[in-house]
Amino acid sequence: MAIREGSMLGHAGLAFATGVAGFHLLPSMPPLWSGASLLLASALLARLVPRSRLLFLASLGLFWAQIHAAVLLHAPFPDDLARAPLSVEGRIVSIPTDTEQGQRFLFAVERTRLDGTDLSFAGRVRLSCYQDCPDFRAGERWRLAVRLKPRHGYMNPGGFDYERWLFEQGIKATGHLRGSGPAERLDAAAGRDWLTRWRQALAGHLARVLGDSSQVGLIQALTIGERAGIEREVWDIFTRTGTNHLVAISGLHVGLVAGGLFLVTRRLWSMSTRLTLVLAAPKAAAIAGALAALGYAGLAGFAVSTQRALIMLAVVLGSVVWQRTLRPYHALTLALVGVLVWDPGAVLSYGFWLSFGAVALLLFNLGQRLPSRDLWTRWGRAQWAVGIGLLPLLFLFFGQASLVAPPVNLVAVPLFSLVILPLVLIASLLSLIPGLDWPLRLTAEGLDLCLAGLEWVADLPWASGHLAARPSWVWGVALLGALLVLAPRGLPGRWLGLVLLLPLLAVRPPAPRQGEVWFTLLDVGQGLAAVVETASGTLVYDTGPAYPSGFETGTMVLAPFLQSRGIERIERLVISHADKDHAGGAAGLLASIPAGRILSGEPERLGLAKVEPCLAGEGWEWSGVRFGFLYPERPGVKGNNASCVLKIETGGRSILLTGDVEAKVERELAERLGPGLRSDVLVAGHHGSATSTSAPFLDAVDPDWVLFSSGYANQFGFPVAEVRARVAERGIASLDTAIRGAIQIRLGPDGWIGAPEGWRDRAARLWTHRPGPSP
């Protein structure tokens, strides 16, 4: 009976979780009455047909997730106020983190005003301060002059979904402080954010003690969960070695602290007869472990990952206190339901799937085997189970995974658990005592050595691998195959697991055929980057912008897109000219993917090796697709008018890319080439600036589509109304990456051309920003 009840409990929990996860796959937010109606109908059905209760629980999970999402999506920041000069009042609800340009923090807006008029917007926003930043402290109330825009990020195949992350964090808008407006502190008290204020003070103390140590960010991450101080290069080391889970305070850290205090308390408590008569040692140890976990999670600001760990520990330790026999799978299911009841949006976190997946894999692989007396055998088997079992998920979520994670973690996890984490925590506490800051500095030096070892492993060429996008069925089959490989040896058909893993390696993304062109104008904000795929070569035209913060689109947009397409080499890299919004991502892209020839209108300004000038008349052919430069006619031209003008032709159809050339050059091209300038698709010059895409040029090109590459709510107002009107007057269809995300179009050798598709529409989810047309 107990087994049957436990099985029913497990099925019920999984049904509820399925409903929550299924809701977040919807492309848009359905009306609340639809979820309520489904719940009511399934409740009536469950009443009549008891076997349908799982359907009711799934509907309950779906409706619960819908209510949670409705709160986050209610009263969004309006598009027509994007970049408007606003005044907001509210509280700082996070630790302000230092950036190369200033500071960044979360701000709970309580009041919004425009020109002295109150607006209805309120909610959590993410703000940046770029110059003359005040001494911001968590919990303070401020009146700030800001410019905001709705949740909006780049939308590209293979790219990071920034809007999903903002939605998961409960952020409604992003923006920055206006330098011309005053910042007025209204209340210096911490209020209900006293814990965050205390954590901020501790972060500052650690930074002062460690001075210019390169491990300040890492120690802050391990003590208070603030990872903003870890440089991207260091994160790459942890990612390539599969040890990034050791850095962020998560279930592992909370579990280690709780487990360590549990063992110590049980040992010490059992030594006293008087104490054991009052409370059994296991119960006392469970309470001590729970309090330790609560304290450490509070130190980390109760981040989402620590909330999951607390709920899981509450289930496990609660069963000890109340003397309930709880099977491991049932404990995992109860924890799963507890997390989703507390926060249904947790399913959007990759950490949610990886943490629950890791525990489930350990139970599956080790729980069905006789325990080994050899500790290292059990430990090695655990790393093998997690390393192999999570590979499909890691490739699915990130497009890459560490191939050395099992052997590295075999050493790194016990070293971290038994040495590094206790040393960091103890040394950090001791540093609060005057004169005892040397243990913390010594610990930082030890971390330098550990990081040097990880860096050596990360530099191995086979340390990590990338995997191109795969059809959905491949991931499902691969997960099943991984489970079969990890199953007990006596299971019949276990060898089929290797067969089921083969599609993960063998299936490749579709590719252009002879004479086809697959063109993608990527969404890189206020910049330009395009990829042209043919059957025998790939061309990249421009690489998007780079910013003083260190963010650049070559690494963050172009490389992930190419890797998702299975492209390992760029045959031609054309950088129209050297302006940062066109060439900023070049170095980052080349660090990830090699290129054959590199051509540019301003080769000497790029700072790259072996760059050749692009010149009119030069051309080549790939698989029946012709490429030809139309401009410049001579080297040495400077600025926007140095841009390489490239025409791509197949089957009588063509695409024209003009970089930033202005009306003067456009007029010269029209006069020189005449009908030879005619193209079906024109990528508008200079992002839709009034200096380009002139009327005579439009008449000469006579395109069916004009594509704009611009940033959402950009400060220049591109594409300007004048150019958009000029295009519309001629009956030419237009699309803008700021509105549609990456724009993809295909041309065939028989003259076929497909209508352009926007990735924002194609990959939409309920959190996806759907901006209206430009005003």
Side-chain angles (χ1 to χ4, degrees):
M1 180 64 70
I3 294 177
R4 182 180 178 183
E5 289 178 356
S7 178
M8 291 175 60
L9 176 65
H11 292 159
L14 290 177
F16 179 83
T18 300
V20 172
F23 171 78
H24 288 92
L25 294 176
L26 296 177
S28 60
M29 181 70 176
L32 278 175
W33 62 260
S34 62
S37 300
L38 178 62
L39 181 63
L40 179 60
S42 62
L44 292 175
L45 182 62
R47 179 76 175 176
L48 298 173
V49 184
R51 291 185 178 181
S52 66
R53 289 174 181 170
L54 293 181
L55 177 62
F56 164 72
L57 291 169
S59 301
L60 179 62
L62 187 148
F63 186 56
W64 177 241
Q66 185 179 17
I67 293 173
H68 179 267
V71 173
L72 292 177
L73 295 174
H74 175 68
F77 187 82
D79 283 285
D80 56 3
L81 290 179
R83 295 191 58 81
L86 303 175
S87 173
V88 296
E89 295 179 15
R91 284 190 178 275
I92 298 174
V93 293
S94 72
I95 297 177
T97 56
D98 293 329
T99 66
E100 292 186 12
Q101 296 174 292
Q103 286 188 322
R104 183 182 295 122
F105 54 89
L106 298 182
F107 192 74
V109 175
E110 300 164 356
R111 185 183 186 186
T112 305
R113 309 191 83 191
L114 174 63
D115 297 329
T117 303
D118 284 330
L119 304 176
S120 60
F121 176 74
R124 178 176 289 198
V125 302
R126 193 178 193 223
L127 291 177
S128 297
C129 175
Y130 295 127
Q131 58 183 358
D132 300 325
C133 300
D135 182 20
F136 291 121
R137 295 183 182 276
E140 293 179 335
R141 291 192 73 252
W142 283 82
R143 180 182 294 119
L144 303 172
V146 301
R147 295 186 191 275
L148 299 175
K149 64 180 181 179
R151 264 191 312 262
H152 190 92
Y154 302 144
M155 285 294 288
N156 297 288
F160 174 66
D161 192 342
Y162 181 56
E163 294 172 24
R164 167 181 171 151
W165 181 83
L166 291 173
F167 178 78
E168 178 197 339
Q169 301 296 316
I171 298 170
K172 286 190 172 184
T174 61
H176 64 272
L177 274 62
R178 290 187 282 130
S180 59
E184 181 183 354
R185 183 185 283 110
L186 303 177
D187 184 1
R192 60 180 176 272
D193 295 297
W194 61 270
L195 179 59
T196 309
R197 173 78 66 85
W198 183 80
R199 293 175 59 240
Q200 181 181 358
L202 182 56
H205 166 77
L206 294 174
R208 287 190 298 273
V209 169
L210 294 173
D212 58 356
S213 170
S214 59
Q215 301 304 325
V216 174
L218 183 55
I219 289 179
Q220 287 178 337
L222 293 175
T223 51
I224 61 172
E226 282 297 309
R227 295 174 288 172
I230 301 178
E231 297 178 354
R232 193 172 70 185
E233 293 77 10
V234 177
W235 266 119
D236 289 341
I237 293 173
F238 291 129
T239 300
R240 286 180 59 82
T241 55
T243 53
N244 41 8
H245 65 102
L246 298 177
V247 179
I249 295 182
S250 61
L252 172 65
H253 304 70
V254 176
L256 287 173
V257 171
L261 200 59
F262 178 92
L263 294 175
V264 171
T265 303
R266 187 174 64 175
R267 175 66 175 171
L268 295 177
W269 197 276
S270 62
M271 295 173 65
S272 170
T273 304
R274 181 177 299 178
L275 290 176
T276 54
L277 291 175
V278 176
L279 186 66
K283 292 184 178 182
I287 293 172
L291 292 175
L294 183 65
Y296 192 41
L299 193 62
F302 292 108
V304 175
S305 57
T306 62
Q307 292 174 14
R308 291 196 295 267
L310 281 177
I311 294 173
M312 294 180 72
L313 283 169
V315 171
V316 175
L317 297 177
S319 66
V320 175
V321 173
W322 283 286
Q323 296 180 310
R324 302 290 184 184
T325 301
L326 199 61
R327 293 176 177 270
Y329 279 114
H330 302 159
L332 184 65
T333 304
L334 282 173
L336 177 67
V337 173
V339 168
L340 295 180
V341 168
W342 178 261
D343 179 18
V347 295
L348 297 178
S349 167
Y350 295 139
F352 169 87
W353 296 96
L354 295 175
S355 59
F356 276 103
V359 176
L361 285 167
L362 289 173
L363 294 176
F364 175 75
N365 184 252
L366 303 180
Q368 310 298 325
R369 302 173 185 267
L370 292 175
S372 170
R373 294 183 179 179
D374 184 356
L375 177 62
W376 281 104
T377 299
R378 283 182 289 169
W379 181 242
R381 186 178 293 157
Q383 294 306 314
W384 166 260
V386 173
I388 296 300
L390 291 184
L391 266 181
L393 283 180
L394 290 170
F395 279 124
L396 174 62
F397 293 156
F398 309 113
Q400 64 173 325
S402 173
L403 304 181
V404 297
V408 169
N409 279 290
L410 190 65
V411 177
V413 172
L415 177 65
F416 177 87
S417 307
L418 302 177
V419 180
I420 295 177
L421 183 60
L423 276 178
V424 168
L425 293 178
I426 293 171
S428 297
L429 289 174
L430 289 176
S431 70
L432 298 173
I433 303 173
L436 283 181
D437 51 9
W438 60 267
L440 185 59
R441 291 197 297 270
L442 193 61
T443 301
E445 293 177 6
L447 286 176
D448 280 329
L449 297 176
C450 294
L451 191 61
L454 286 177
E455 185 176 8
W456 179 83
V457 177
D459 286 340
L460 297 173
W462 40 268
S464 69
H466 293 274
L467 205 61
R470 299 289 194 267
S472 300
W473 67 267
V474 172
W475 302 110
V477 169
L479 286 170
L480 179 59
L483 290 177
L484 281 175
V485 168
L486 298 173
R489 293 182 180 178
L491 182 69
R494 183 169 170 263
W495 61 272
L496 287 173
L498 296 175
V499 177
L500 294 177
L501 287 173
L502 289 179
L504 193 63
L505 304 175
V507 175
R508 303 282 296 176
R513 293 175 293 180
Q514 178 76 17
E516 285 188 340
V517 169
W518 290 10
F519 177 81
T520 303
L521 183 64
L522 290 166
D523 179 11
V524 292
Q526 193 57 34
L528 179 65
V531 176
V532 184
E533 300 175 64
T534 71
S536 58
T538 298
L539 176 140
V540 171
Y541 183 96
D542 283 345
T543 59
Y547 299 97
S549 64
F551 180 92
E552 43 81 19
T553 51
T555 301
M556 303 306 294
V557 175
L558 266 164
F561 170 74
L562 294 171
Q563 288 161 351
S564 74
R565 296 285 304 121
I567 296 171
E568 300 176 353
R569 177 180 170 82
I570 303 165
E571 277 67 33
R572 294 283 196 287
L573 172 59
V574 177
I575 301 175
S576 63
H577 63 303
D579 283 3
K580 283 293 185 183
D581 55 339
H582 294 254
L589 173 63
L590 292 172
S592 303
I593 299 177
R597 291 183 64 188
I598 305 175
L599 302 106
S600 176
E602 295 183 290
E604 66 284 349
R605 284 186 58 203
L606 288 180
L608 300 174
K610 299 180 179 178
V611 183
E612 307 170 44
C614 58
L615 293 172
E618 180 182 353
W620 65 95
E621 184 174 314
W622 289 339
S623 305
V625 179
R626 293 179 298 280
F627 296 79
F629 288 115
L630 308 182
Y631 181 86
E633 294 185 85
R634 58 181 176 80
V637 184
K638 303 294 183 183
N640 289 340
N641 284 334
S643 297
C644 306
V645 176
L646 178 66
K647 188 173 184 180
I648 306 156
E649 300 176 90
T650 186
R653 301 286 190 172
S654 58
I655 299 172
L656 185 64
L657 294 131
T658 64
D660 277 355
V661 295
E662 298 173 352
K664 177 181 179 233
V665 172
E666 292 179 343
R667 184 171 60 252
E668 293 175 4
L669 287 169
E671 292 172 354
R672 176 164 56 89
L673 298 172
L677 204 55
R678 166 76 176 92
S679 298
D680 299 275
V681 179
L682 169 66
V683 179
H686 205 182
H687 324 289
S689 164
T691 62
S692 304
T693 321
S694 58
F697 187 69
L698 274 175
D699 292 335
V701 178
D702 189 24
D704 296 322
W705 290 282
V706 170
L707 310 182
F708 295 104
S709 179
S710 67
Y712 173 74
N714 65 84
Q715 60 181 322
F716 310 105
F718 294 162
V720 298
E722 176 186 344
V723 172
R724 286 187 280 110
R726 196 179 295 155
V727 171
E729 286 169 1
R730 289 161 173 76
I732 303 171
S734 65
L735 296 91
D736 188 351
T737 57
I739 308 298
R740 306 294 295 274
I743 300 169
Q744 298 180 301
I745 189 168
R746 296 184 179 184
L747 285 64
D750 55 357
W752 176 83
I753 183 170
E757 286 187 306
W759 188 252
R760 184 170 292 276
D761 299 324
R762 187 174 173 184
R765 289 291 182 265
L766 58 93
W767 57 82
T768 302
H769 179 218
R770 293 167 172 83
S774 302

